[in-house]
Amino acid sequence: MKPNSPEAQELIQSVLETLMQGASLLEQVSDEDYTRKLPVAFNASIGGHYRHCLDHFRSLIDAAMDGDLNYDHRERGTLIESDRFAALNATRELREGYQSLDLIFLGRPLNVTCKTSYTTSSSQASPSTVGREIMYSVAHAVHHYALIGFMARVMGLSMPPGFGVAPSTLKHQTETRMAEA
């Protein structure tokens, strides 16, 4: 991928859009709803899911500089999980970080480590690139946003249109509506 190509810029834009969706969520939910644990959702909270998404974006941007990305090295139970304003600040900082990321880094090779096996005690490793891991992190966040959307509906909250829906699904829905019109 060429650093100044439209594809490179679109990858960064996808992170920024995803983080903006998260910021919109944070501005709409109350502190109580952000930290409320739902038994029907494995006793998780919106804050826990949102922190988890930000952890992946943070791990990735940090790894862009040194080449080693370990998704297992994340902090759980941080202030981001329990304080919406801390989450908003972290979201803003990540947006600024990705906006200033030199596009040359998108092709940078990464050694990615992540525990994927239930039966072994070790983590697995695989080569990747910063650009490929951006695609993964955005898709990962979209799926967690879908869980957050479900949790919000259980709590009786409304979510912005399209929240937690994959961009490819939104595109398909739009094309289907246009074809039916």
Side-chain angles (χ1 to χ4, degrees):
M1 175 182 319
K2 295 180 182 172
N4 288 322
S5 69
E7 293 84 9
Q9 294 167 357
E10 288 170 2
L11 273 178
I12 296 298
Q13 186 61 33
S14 71
V15 175
L16 301 177
E17 291 167 358
T18 303
L19 291 171
M20 280 306 297
Q21 278 190 349
S24 295
L25 163 79
L26 295 172
E27 291 167 353
Q28 291 183 0
V29 300
S30 69
D31 294 334
E32 179 184 339
D33 290 333
Y34 185 70
T35 59
R36 184 172 168 196
K37 295 191 180 215
L38 292 174
V40 71
F42 306 103
N43 214 33
S45 67
I46 290 174
H49 279 283
Y50 193 69
R51 186 259 320 143
H52 179 74
C53 294
L54 293 188
D55 285 349
H56 279 69
F57 287 120
R58 169 67 59 209
S59 295
L60 176 53
I61 199 161
D62 290 347
M65 303 307 159
D66 66 24
D68 286 315
L69 174 56
N70 189 330
Y71 285 120
D72 296 337
H73 290 162
R74 293 177 280 114
E75 294 182 53
R76 291 167 172 85
T78 63
L79 192 56
I80 292 169
E81 191 169 325
S82 61
D83 184 318
R84 278 185 322 116
F85 294 106
L88 272 168
N89 283 334
T91 302
R92 180 186 44 76
E93 289 171 4
L94 283 168
R95 279 184 49 83
E96 291 169 359
Y98 279 96
Q99 284 173 325
S100 65
L101 182 67
D102 190 326
L103 297 179
I104 196 97
F105 282 106
L106 296 182
R108 181 175 191 162
L110 291 175
N111 182 41
V112 181
T113 304
C114 182
K115 180 154 179 37
T116 59
S117 172
Y118 291 100
T119 59
T120 64
S121 61
S122 62
S123 295
Q124 292 66 53
S126 179
S128 190
T129 65
V130 172
R132 171 62 189 100
E133 294 306 309
I134 283 176
M135 289 191 298
Y136 163 75
S137 294
V138 168
H140 175 261
V142 168
H143 285 282
H144 277 275
Y145 284 8
L147 290 168
I148 289 169
F150 167 78
M151 294 167 70
R153 283 188 291 283
V154 167
M155 289 188 269
L157 307 174
S158 63
M159 290 282 95
F163 186 85
V165 181
S168 60
T169 301
L170 291 174
K171 179 181 180 209
H172 173 73
Q173 290 171 345
T174 300
E175 289 170 351
T176 301
R177 280 193 301 275
M178 292 174 81
E180 293 172 352

